[in-house]
Amino acid sequence: KLLAGEREEVIWTSDFYGSNWNDDWDVFRKCFPPGMYTFVFMDKEGDGICCSHGEGKYVLSSEGTIIAVGGQMDSKEERTTFELEYVEPEPSDSNGDGLDDRLGLMMPYDSSTLIEGETCENFRFVFETDQYGIETSWELYEGSDRDSENLVAKGGPYGSEETFVYNYCLASQKSYVLYMYDWKGDGLCCEYGQGWYKVTSRDIVIHESDGKFG
């Protein structure tokens, strides 16, 4: 449910999801005026929607920007208070685990010690999500193997029907592999939108996809 203001007036609620929603999903979209809001995600058993009985999750976003990601719970509700228009805070890693404190996602790739054109080369990754951006994620690895120790950067889930741009300077004289994922396996196009993705370096197209997953 969604609560408005300090009085936490209930302005939007969902139906109860029973076992018939196993391994399925739903998307809600609504426009709200500027102000303070609290999003409350509830689970009757208090064990969340991940990971004892499945791999469920929820994503709260505004204009394509992720406000909250959840699923693992140790109580009957999780609350996220936010303001609209939403201004995304800078990522922070207070405990040094390599993950953003707010979303639990991997911290952005840091190339501050490299020099473009000398010790690193430009890598530009652009994509547009379909109506189910929650399903979209990606991983970039150094080398040819999907080894967690060689993970350079990752992202997702995302807001729906939005364009996202990543610019990195990747260390030179190394090979990289990009994995693009779609949770349901139906790609970014075309049943639920016109998503796509493109990878370039110094305006040279490395790979361009129409978003269809085979």
Side-chain angles (χ1 to χ4, degrees), residues 111-131:
S111 59
S112 59
T113 61
L114 303 176
I115 302 174
E116 186 169 347
E118 296 184 16
T119 56
C120 67
E121 297 296 334
N122 171 258
F123 169 86
R124 182 178 174 86
F125 176 39
V126 185
F127 62 92
E128 182 176 335
T129 55
D130 61 8
Q131 296 174 15

Side-chain angles (χ1 to χ4, degrees), residues 4 9 23 40 43 52 60 71 81 90 103 118-119 136 142 156 169 172 178 198:
E9 175 189 359
D23 199 29
V40 184
D43 182 81
S52 299
L60 177 67
T81 299
E90 289 294 323
L103 298 177
E118 296 184 16
T119 56
T136 303
E142 180 184 313
C169 200
S172 305
L178 174 71
K198 184 177 182 179

Side-chain angles (χ1 to χ4, degrees), residues 64 88 122-129 138 158 162-168 196-198 200:
E88 185 175 24
N122 171 258
F123 169 86
R124 182 178 174 86
F125 176 39
V126 185
F127 62 92
E128 182 176 335
T129 55
W138 59 273
Y158 292 95
E162 296 285 344
T163 300
F164 299 88
V165 180
Y166 290 88
N167 283 293
Y168 298 134
W196 53 272
Y197 68 93
K198 184 177 182 179
T200 61

